[in-house]
Amino acid sequence: MLFKKSEHPILAPDSSLSWTSGAVFNPGAWYDDGKVHLLFRAIPAGYQRVKLNGEIEGGPDHGFTEDYISYIGYATSTDGIHFTMNPEPFITPNSEPFNVFGAEDPRISKIDDTYLITYTALSRPAFDPNDGVRIALATTRDFKSIESHGISGPPHKRDKDAVIFPKRINGKIGMIHRITPNMQLIWFDSMEQLCNPPASMWEEHLKTLNTHILMKPEFSWESKKIGAGPTPIETKHGWLIIYHGVNEQHEYRMGLALLDLNNPEKVIARSLVPVMEPTLDFELKGDVPNVVFPEGAILIGETLHVYYGAADKVIGHASAKLDEVMDFLLAYKYA
Ligand code: BMA
C-alpha cells in the first residue's frame, strides 16, 4: 500500500462541545512554522438520517433531517497526528443567505501572508436537491480573526470542491472547482478579483465552461463524478493533485494526478487506479457509508500527510513518502 493509514480516527465527535457532538469530518490542512492547521466540518448531534424520494446526494435514496447543519472548526498539531480542537467554532452558520444551512468542506491555501479558505455554503438543507449550494471564500492571517468574502464561485447549482493553488502562476491565482461531474479551473487576475469576482466573469466562465475542464471522470471507480481534494502540492515534477472519485454505488475513493508546473491546465499524469479506498470499519460505516474524502495534504520533511473525512463521521489520516508517491504517479505519465 502506497499510503499507510492511521489505524484509528485522529479526530472524532466530542460530546463536550455541542457543535462537534454529532460528526467531525472533511478537513482542509496547511503546515507552516512547525504547526499543522486543520479546518474541519462539524455537526451537532440530534440530526437523523431519513429516507427521501428522488435523486439526492449522499446515497441513492437517503438524506438527513433539516438540523443537519455544519460548522467549521479549527484544530492544531505539532506532529501532524495529535490535534487539539479550539472550543469555539471558526465559522458558524449565520444569516447570510448562503450560510443559513451551514458551511461545509473547507480547504486551506496561502498566498503572501493570507490564508485562503474555500468552503461550501448552503442556503437550503444539505440534501435538498434544489439550487442551494455555492463556493464561498474567507480569509485569515492568524486563524483568530476571519474576514468573510461571501460567494466566490459561479452561480451554478451544486458547485463544490473549490481549492486555490498556493502561489500565483504566471501572475494569476488559479482555483479548481467542480460543476458535476468534472473538475474545472478558473484564473483570477488579483486577490481583489478573487475576493470580489464580478458577475460578468462568471457569465463568461459558464458560457465557455467546456473550455475550462481540467479533468473528467475516466475510470469506473470515479464514473459518477470527481472533485478536487487538498490544496495542490508543488513538486519538481509538477503540481500533485489528490482528488476523490465517486462510482455508481456512491463509494468515494482517492486518486492522484499531476499538472504541469507552469501550465496547470495540462494534466501530465493520472493514476488509473485509486490509491486509497474505504477498508477500515470507520470508513465503511458512519453517516454515509464507504467514504474516504481527502481534503488536506501537507508535507512535513519528505512525508506527505493526508487528512480525510471517513464515512462523513470522523477524520482519518494517512501518510506516504513523497518520492514513492511521485514514482508511482510518474509511471502513469502521458507520452
Ligand atoms: C459530498 C460532500 C461531502 C461528503 C460527500 C459524501 O457531496 O457533501 O461533504 O463528505 O458528499 O457524503
Side-chain angles (χ1 to χ4, degrees):
M1 272 290 136
L2 191 57
F3 284 87
K4 189 175 178 307
K5 291 178 183 172
S6 294
E7 221 176 302
H8 302 289
I10 57 153
L11 280 176
D14 180 346
S15 57
S16 70
L17 294 175
S18 66
W19 60 278
T20 71
S21 54
V24 166
F25 58 119
N26 294 6
W30 187 266
Y31 178 63
D32 56 17
D33 293 334
K35 198 175 191 180
V36 184
H37 305 271
L38 209 69
L39 289 176
F40 56 87
R41 178 173 169 192
I43 310 182
Y47 60 86
Q48 283 189 322
R49 195 125 203 248
V50 289
K51 203 154 170 76
L52 301 176
N53 298 321
E55 174 71 18
I56 47 122
E57 288 208 43
D61 61 354
H62 282 80
F64 290 92
T65 41
E66 282 207 5
D67 49 0
Y68 188 75
I69 295 180
S70 297
Y71 292 66
I72 289 178
Y74 176 60
T76 55
S77 166
T78 49
D79 64 3
I81 300 203
H82 301 92
F83 282 85
T84 308
M85 268 188 205
N86 257 19
E88 301 300 327
F90 187 68
I91 297 178
T92 303
N94 59 34
S95 56
E96 284 177 37
F98 264 94
N99 267 352
V100 177
F101 279 92
E104 304 182 349
D105 302 353
R107 274 86 169 175
I108 313 172
S109 193
K110 192 181 188 187
I111 292 185
D112 304 329
D113 55 358
T114 302
Y115 298 97
L116 304 164
I117 299 149
T118 42
Y119 62 98
T120 311
L122 279 81
S123 71
R124 303 177 76 91
F127 288 83
D128 184 327
N130 295 307
D131 184 14
V133 177
R134 292 286 185 275
I135 292 164
L137 176 75
T139 52
T140 182
R141 284 168 190 241
D142 53 11
F143 288 100
K144 291 185 186 115
S145 63
I146 174 166
E147 197 177 338
S148 168
H149 303 282
I151 304 307
S152 190
H156 190 285
K157 197 171 163 179
R158 304 199 87 73
D159 188 22
K160 286 186 174 184
D161 300 325
V163 65
I164 296 171
F165 282 82
K167 71 187 239 190
R168 290 182 184 80
I169 302 169
N170 304 316
K172 298 200 172 199
I173 299 171
M175 183 176 88
I176 301 173
H177 67 114
R178 199 286 304 280
I179 294 181
T180 310
N182 305 319
M183 281 158 59
Q184 298 85 8
L185 176 54
I186 179 150
W187 296 103
F188 298 89
D189 291 332
S190 61
M191 202 69 105
E192 293 67 45
Q193 195 182 51
L194 170 73
C195 293
N196 205 359
S200 58
M201 185 171 171
W202 296 128
E203 275 164 35
E204 188 54 33
H205 184 69
L206 291 176
K207 231 193 286 169
T208 54
L209 195 62
N210 275 342
T211 66
H212 301 289
I213 295 173
L214 178 66
M215 287 164 53
K216 291 182 176 182
E218 278 185 23
F219 316 115
S220 60
W221 59 272
E222 54 172 34
S223 56
K224 198 168 177 183
K225 56 187 175 179
I226 55 174
T231 312
I233 294 206
E234 189 176 9
T235 75
K236 61 178 184 230
H237 302 285
W239 290 102
L240 174 62
I241 297 294
I242 299 175
Y243 69 98
H244 66 260
V246 188
N247 68 4
E248 298 307 318
Q249 288 72 46
H250 211 79
E251 295 160 346
Y252 281 68
R253 295 182 167 78
M254 179 171 115
L256 301 178
L258 195 64
L259 310 180
D260 186 271
L261 270 187
N262 298 315
N263 177 17
E265 284 163 23
K266 195 169 159 209
V267 180
I268 54 181
R270 183 156 166 193
S271 63
L272 288 176
V273 289
V275 290
M276 207 163 84
E277 61 183 1
T279 54
L280 301 174
D281 204 49
F282 64 84
E283 301 164 344
L284 299 168
K285 288 184 227 141
D287 283 339
V288 180
N290 305 312
V291 176
V292 294
F293 196 83
E295 269 196 37
I298 54 163
L299 264 181
I300 303 184
E302 293 305 307
T303 304
L304 182 65
H305 293 261
V306 174
Y307 302 96
Y308 61 95
D312 286 12
K313 193 68 171 178
V314 297
I315 295 179
H317 162 268
S319 63
K321 291 284 169 218
L322 181 66
D323 55 357
E324 290 175 16
V325 172
M326 296 316 292
D327 285 349
F328 169 87
L329 187 52
L330 288 169
Y332 293 105
K333 200 165 177 188
Y334 299 134

